Amino acid sequence: MSSLLLKTLTKKEEIDRIIRDTIDEVLVLRFGRCTDTVCLQHDDILAKSVTDVSKFAKVALVDVDSEDVQVYVKYFDITWFPSTVFFFNAHHLKLDSGTADHTKWVGAFHIKQDFIDVVEAIYRGAMKGKMIVQCPVPPERIPKYQLLYKDV
Amino acid sequence: MATLEDSFLADLDELSDNEAEMDENDGDVGNEEEDVDMDMADLETLNYDDLDIVSKLQKSQRYIDIMQKVEEALAKDSDGAEKGTVLEDDPEYKLIVDCNQLSVDIENEIAIVHNFIRDKYKLKFQELESLVHHPIDYARVVKKIGNETDITLVDLGDLLPSAIIMGISVTSLTTKGSPLPEDVLQKVLGACDRALDLDSARKKVLDFVESKMGSIAPNLSAIVGSAVAAKLVGTAGGVSALAKMPACNVQVLGHKRKNLAGFSSTSQSRVGYLEQTEILQSTPPGLRARASRLVAAKSTLAARVDATRGDMAGINGRALREEIRKKIEKWQEPPPARQPKPLPVPDSEPKKRRGGRRLRKMKERYAVTDMRKMANRMRFGTPEESSLGAGLGEGYGMLGQAGSNRLRVSSVPSKLKLNAKVAKKLKERQYTGGATTSGLTSSLAFTPVQGIELCNPQQALGLGSGTQSTYFSESGTFSKLKKI
């Protein structure tokens, strides 16, 4: 239901366009399926915070089932859905949340305030020129996962 | 109008003084005011029997004249408004002003007659007065009942609501009154007729005034209605007089001063005749004060238009009324719904450092005090005093030094726990320098071998004999003496 409020991208050009066109705003891209339950929970939180964060962030959903988008899925190495990638002025920002993978946020946020805090931290870091920021979410609310290296 | 009211109030104050007047003024018919004086006195003494002593209005010349003119005018129904003439010269206008005063007089007269009827009828049916409050209704009921003992035979259906009729029937069964003697009954019925006559006369006068108000002050009547407009003009003493008043005065025209001694006047709402207007009656009570101010202001404007006879069609008045209505509606509409506000961009708003008196006062609580400043400084050449003496404890700096006109330092014992070294030194000082050693301390020690032995108490405490003093101790000497 909440994906009705958020834009869903299915084509590569759309993703390119939106990354290029968001200027001075954090771009939040969620990679996932709209049928997955965890994705739905994650989307719900995103939808609720869109208006609050609208002055300095933009949120978009990427449907991982379309073929165009597989390029990006492979590039960002997304295996668990939902995964959230943050951009600022076409730069990909990294988030150190104590997990193995800093390039994205894996899983759903527990509360709305967590998401807003993360976006704010990314914004502040980006405005200062940093490429990686510390995650302000306390560790009990960060979804834990194990990174299995395959073919390495 | 005002003079009459004032005379009433004055009369109530000096009621007993007027008894003497009663005999003198018996024959006087013409003077309205004196009649009223007498009537108040009569109420007090309850010494009257004849209605004519009580109510003389109907016989007065003034009353007869004005009623005659009113009848003529009503019959004539003239509507030729002379636009050219000044308002005050118009004979109809004078009649209106007179009618206003007369209507108030009639009202008072009705009250007096009501009292008369009530006093006489008390012997028959005492409780009726508390059941039926309105004087005219009371008069009608009394007329209908007459001397009847069984109220159920009397049909009061068209006079009163059924609840009150029921109340009357019930109370009549238990009333302790007795039927009146014939002459008293006649007097009472005569008084009732008089009251009803006065009431109908008043209605006639008011109707006349209302019908004429539209041609005299159309704009004002468009806003407040012709009855209230007539009252306002009457109290002010003319349309031009009303126009000359500031709006705040117009607001309180007709305000009944009810504040007895000791009651605050802020709890009363300061509205006069305007309270009876349709506009104010239909506004919710919370907005009444604001609305009354608005209506007073606009009606003053309308009165000014009418005084100069600028707009005889009343267009201005209707426009003002519409304006008033719209404003009152606007006040009553609910506030707009709250929109969810997005969060501000982080770090975009610089931190607002606030200054001002309040902040300065707050900072004063943590500022360095003068006393502390003096303690921080030291005099050159003289060693400073300290709280524990000899350089231990807190230094007092310039405090307490001769020559400075600052505070004496009182020996308030500090609540801080001293560390071991300082505590030991303090104890040593106490023993060597203190003049107040307890008289019960003994330097004698009892040992099993040598018996009584004099020993140094300081040794027992481990203080030594003063050789273990600090660098800066004033009682101490060189710590190490080495023979060269």
Side-chain angles (χ1 to χ4, degrees):
Chain A
M1 199 273 279
S2 47
S3 42
L4 296 171
L5 304 167
L6 303 167
K7 222 184 331 202
T8 314
L9 310 169
T10 43
K11 296 210 209 349
K12 186 175 179 301
E13 306 92 59
E14 283 176 2
I15 301 179
D16 287 340
R17 194 173 346 123
I18 199 171
I19 292 179
R20 256 199 325 258
D21 290 342
T22 2
I23 303 172
D24 281 348
E25 275 185 355
V26 177
L27 176 65
V28 182
L29 285 186
R30 187 267 325 190
F31 285 84
R33 290 197 185 89
C34 56
T35 48
D36 190 20
T37 41
V38 188
C39 277
L40 283 175
Q41 187 191 343
H42 182 65
D43 289 350
D44 182 48
I45 291 192
L46 288 180
K48 281 186 190 166
S49 3
V50 148
T51 42
D52 282 339
V53 147
S54 55
K55 282 200 169 169
F56 54 94
K58 213 191 260 196
V59 183
L61 310 176
V62 178
D63 191 9
V64 101
D65 286 330
S66 67
E67 316 81 41
D68 267 0
V69 171
Q70 296 306 315
V71 184
Y72 281 117
V73 172
K74 201 129 182 239
Y75 175 71
F76 287 119
D77 202 12
I78 294 172
T79 43
W80 177 264
F81 308 122
S83 291
T84 319
V85 190
F86 299 95
F87 297 90
F88 188 86
N89 277 349
H91 289 285
H92 168 49
L93 269 92
K94 298 207 243 295
L95 184 72
D96 179 7
S97 43
T99 56
D101 192 356
H102 294 179
T103 55
K104 52 189 171 295
W105 175 277
V106 177
F109 291 95
H110 285 237
I111 47 175
K112 193 171 109 175
Q113 192 54 43
D114 279 346
F115 172 66
I116 297 177
D117 288 342
V118 167
V119 173
E120 190 183 319
I122 297 229
Y123 183 85
R124 277 190 212 264
M127 287 305 260
K128 289 214 177 91
K130 299 194 180 157
M131 299 303 284
I132 182 164
V133 293
Q134 280 288 329
C135 178
V137 182
E140 54 271 7
R141 292 209 280 272
I142 300 181
K144 298 278 182 298
Y145 53 91
Q146 258 201 334
L147 205 54
L148 301 167
Y149 295 95
K150 209 157 87 167
D151 299 347
V152 171
Chain B
M1 207 58 69
T3 52
L4 205 57
E5 255 180 80
D6 285 340
S7 70
F8 269 92
L9 286 168
D11 292 338
L12 280 171
D13 287 333
E14 39 182 272
L15 221 40
S16 47
D17 297 347
N18 285 348
E19 272 188 49
E21 273 186 77
M22 195 177 79
D23 299 325
E24 297 159 2
N25 291 338
D26 233 346
D28 199 337
V29 176
N31 203 337
E32 180 67 32
E33 316 252 351
E34 277 178 47
D35 289 348
V36 172
D37 282 340
M38 226 168 59
D39 297 336
M40 300 310 289
D42 284 344
L43 284 170
E44 175 72 343
T45 58
L46 285 180
N47 210 357
Y48 53 94
D49 267 334
D50 196 357
L51 182 62
D52 282 332
I53 300 177
V54 175
S55 115
K56 287 207 148 76
L57 179 59
Q58 272 193 317
K59 303 274 176 3
S60 69
Q61 191 57 35
R62 182 172 147 245
Y63 175 83
I64 295 171
D65 278 344
I66 297 180
M67 284 312 292
Q68 218 174 5
K69 283 192 203 157
V70 167
E71 306 269 338
E72 282 174 14
L74 275 174
K76 201 169 60 175
D77 196 13
S78 65
D79 58 349
E82 296 111 38
K83 286 198 182 136
T85 60
V86 179
L87 187 59
E88 265 71 18
D89 292 343
D90 194 0
E92 272 201 357
Y93 177 75
K94 286 204 203 94
L95 185 58
I96 300 280
V97 172
D98 289 335
C99 282
N100 268 322
Q101 281 183 317
L102 190 67
S103 77
V104 176
D105 293 342
I106 293 179
E107 229 180 289
N108 299 330
E109 200 66 30
I110 291 177
I112 294 166
V113 174
H114 170 66
N115 287 336
F116 178 82
I117 302 174
R118 182 195 57 198
D119 293 331
K120 295 287 179 197
Y121 208 66
K122 243 193 246 189
L123 308 163
K124 166 101 176 54
F125 192 170
Q126 195 178 11
E127 295 85 359
L128 186 63
E129 196 230 352
S130 49
L131 289 166
V132 183
H133 291 286
H134 193 63
I136 303 303
D137 286 339
Y138 187 84
R140 286 205 191 105
V141 168
V142 163
K143 199 163 167 189
K144 234 351 188 347
I145 297 178
N147 227 353
E148 193 71 53
T149 34
D150 193 359
I151 307 294
T152 50
L153 297 173
V154 182
D155 178 27
L156 298 168
D158 47 346
L159 296 175
L160 297 168
S162 40
I164 302 189
I165 298 177
M166 217 161 34
I168 294 177
S169 338
V170 167
T171 30
S172 67
L173 300 170
T174 57
T175 188
K176 13 179 180 26
S178 54
L180 299 165
E182 189 56 38
D183 53 334
V184 178
L185 178 69
Q186 286 308 316
K187 287 210 185 84
V188 166
L189 290 177
C192 292
D193 288 330
R194 178 73 71 85
L196 296 172
D197 281 341
L198 285 171
D199 185 51
S200 67
R202 183 162 173 263
K203 272 212 184 72
K204 240 186 265 179
V205 167
L206 275 181
D207 285 339
F208 170 68
V209 164
E210 274 189 48
S211 64
K212 288 302 158 190
M213 214 59 208
S215 59
I216 289 199
N219 295 294
L220 186 60
S221 348
I223 298 181
V224 295
S226 11
V228 174
K231 286 188 195 151
L232 285 173
V233 171
T235 328
V239 180
S240 338
L242 184 68
K244 284 186 192 145
M245 283 184 186
C248 50
N249 284 12
V250 172
Q251 192 183 353
V252 281
L253 271 184
H255 178 57
K256 297 178 273 267
R257 256 180 280 117
K258 271 193 286 205
N259 50 346
L260 314 169
F263 285 106
S264 154
S265 68
T266 47
S267 56
Q268 294 179 328
S269 61
R270 225 122 3 120
V271 206
Y273 288 131
L274 290 176
E275 206 170 11
Q276 303 158 12
T277 55
E278 193 197 310
I279 306 174
L280 276 184
Q281 292 289 330
S282 55
T283 53
L287 291 174
R288 284 262 169 99
R290 263 171 103 183
S292 81
R293 246 178 295 142
L294 180 65
V295 170
K298 298 306 171 193
S299 57
T300 314
L301 289 176
R304 286 175 193 165
V305 170
D306 286 331
T308 53
R309 290 213 144 176
D311 174 18
M312 291 318 286
I315 298 173
N316 254 316
R318 277 191 280 276
L320 286 171
R321 193 193 172 120
E322 191 55 34
E323 203 185 307
I324 291 175
R325 192 189 61 82
K326 273 207 200 104
K327 275 204 185 152
I328 294 182
E329 236 181 78
K330 188 112 208 290
W331 292 340
Q332 288 173 327
E333 67 181 26
R338 293 193 65 173
Q339 300 283 1
K341 231 176 119 175
L343 297 168
V345 179
D347 288 340
S348 69
E349 279 120 37
K351 267 197 239 184
K352 284 173 261 190
R353 280 174 189 278
R354 304 171 59 188
R357 191 166 164 273
R358 200 193 277 195
L359 199 76
R360 262 184 277 127
K361 280 273 183 304
M362 257 187 55
K363 281 196 143 180
E364 247 179 61
R365 289 160 55 194
Y366 300 100
V368 178
T369 59
D370 285 343
M371 194 169 146
R372 185 57 76 171
K373 280 186 202 150
M374 293 295 285
N376 285 343
R377 300 180 190 153
M378 272 176 62
R379 184 161 262 177
F380 183 79
T382 47
E384 67 169 353
E385 298 162 5
S386 44
S387 61
L388 301 172
L392 310 169
E394 267 190 30
Y396 288 142
M398 289 287 282
L399 285 180
Q401 299 258 3
S404 75
N405 50 354
R406 286 297 170 173
L407 299 168
R408 252 184 316 128
V409 182
S410 55
S411 58
V412 175
S414 158
K415 290 200 190 121
L416 295 170
K417 294 202 178 98
L418 307 170
N419 65 6
K421 205 171 174 184
V422 179
K424 193 163 140 194
K425 278 172 196 129
L426 192 61
K427 267 216 192 114
E428 185 202 277
R429 273 203 83 236
Q430 262 186 340
Y431 270 91
T432 50
T436 54
T437 3
S438 166
L440 298 174
T441 53
S442 163
S443 317
L444 299 174
F446 290 90
T447 54
V449 177
Q450 283 119 334
I452 295 173
E453 199 181 276
L454 262 177
C455 59
N456 190 352
Q458 281 188 350
Q459 233 167 23
L461 288 167
L463 290 172
S465 52
T467 51
Q468 289 166 336
S469 39
T470 57
Y471 204 86
F472 295 109
S473 168
E474 54 199 37
S475 58
T477 55
F478 293 110
S479 53
K480 250 196 214 167
L481 285 169
K482 214 161 142 186
K483 218 157 179 174
I484 309 165

